[in-house]
Amino acid sequence: LMLAMISGFVGGILTWIFNEDVVFAQKEPEVRNMEPNPSKVIVAEEIYLVDKDQKVRVELAIQPDGRLGFRFKDETGQSRLAVGLLPDGSPVINLADQNGRLRTGLVLMEGGSPGISFYDQNNKFRAGLGLDGSGNPGLRLFDQESKRRANLILLPDGIPSMGLFDQ
C-alpha cells in the first residue's frame, strides 16, 4: 500500500516537473533583443544558454516557491532532460523522448526513498520501481490506462509478495 502511494506521488511529481507551464512559469526571453553578447546574459532568477543560432538550449531557473529546475533542450527546442529540486529539497531527474514526452523519471523523496517511473508514448504511467520508507523494494505494473495491474514486493521479513489486480 505504501509503495502504491509513493508511486502515485512520484508519478504526479514527475509529470509536474516536466510540464513546461509549471516548471518554468515565465516565457523564454527573446534572446536576439538582449545585449550584443548573449553568452554573458543572466536574467534575474533565470539563466539561458543559447547555441550559435540563438536558440535556448539550457535553462536554469529558481521559482518563487523554491523549485529549482535545470532543463536541457535538443536542436528542435524539445526538453529532453530535466533536473530539479522540489521545494522540500527532493531531487528529481526526468528524461523525455524526441517529442518532449516524459518517458522515465528518478526521484528521491524527502524521507530518502528512491523511485523510478516509466511512461509509455502516450504519457501513461506504466511501471514503477522503488523502495518504501523502510527500504523494502517493490515493482508496480500498470495497464494502458495507468490502472495498477500487478505488484511484486519484498516484505520487511524478506518474504516476496505478489499481487494481481483485474480492476
Side-chain angles (χ1 to χ4, degrees):
L1 177 64
M2 180 60 126
L3 202 52
M5 289 173 41
I6 290 173
S7 71
F9 185 67
V10 168
I13 287 175
L14 295 175
T15 301
W16 172 67
I17 287 293
F18 236 94
N19 181 337
E20 291 194 27
D21 294 333
V22 177
V23 175
F24 299 93
Q26 296 180 359
K27 186 177 179 187
E28 290 179 7
E30 184 61 41
V31 178
R32 287 189 164 91
N33 294 333
M34 292 183 168
E35 296 178 19
N37 189 349
S39 64
K40 295 183 180 180
V41 174
I42 297 177
V43 181
E45 295 174 347
E46 301 176 9
I47 298 173
Y48 297 92
L49 297 179
V50 298
D51 63 16
K52 63 180 174 40
D53 297 321
Q54 303 302 306
K55 289 183 181 178
V56 175
R57 298 294 302 276
V58 179
E59 299 175 6
L60 174 61
I62 301 172
Q63 300 300 304
D65 67 359
R67 288 176 290 140
L68 171 65
F70 199 27
R71 192 165 50 171
F72 295 83
K73 296 181 174 191
D74 65 16
E75 301 82 25
T76 68
Q78 290 292 340
S79 293
R80 300 297 302 272
L81 169 65
V83 178
L85 291 178
L86 302 177
D88 68 7
S90 298
V92 178
I93 299 172
N94 291 321
L95 303 175
D97 64 17
Q98 65 275 12
N99 296 310
R101 290 180 301 233
L102 176 64
R103 298 307 300 268
T104 191
L106 172 65
V107 65
L108 186 60
M109 304 305 292
E110 185 176 12
S113 298
I116 300 174
S117 297
F118 299 94
Y119 297 82
D120 67 15
Q121 63 277 11
N122 297 313
N123 280 356
K124 298 289 186 175
F125 180 53
R126 298 301 304 273
L129 176 65
L131 302 179
D132 67 16
S134 299
N136 302 309
L139 172 66
R140 299 153 321 277
L141 303 175
F142 298 81
D143 67 13
Q144 296 89 342
E145 301 303 317
S146 296
K147 293 180 184 172
R148 183 175 57 157
R149 304 300 294 189
N151 284 349
L152 178 60
I153 61 173
L154 283 182
L155 300 173
D157 58 6
I159 296 175
S161 175
M162 181 180 203
L164 301 175
F165 308 91
D166 62 358
Q167 293 288 334

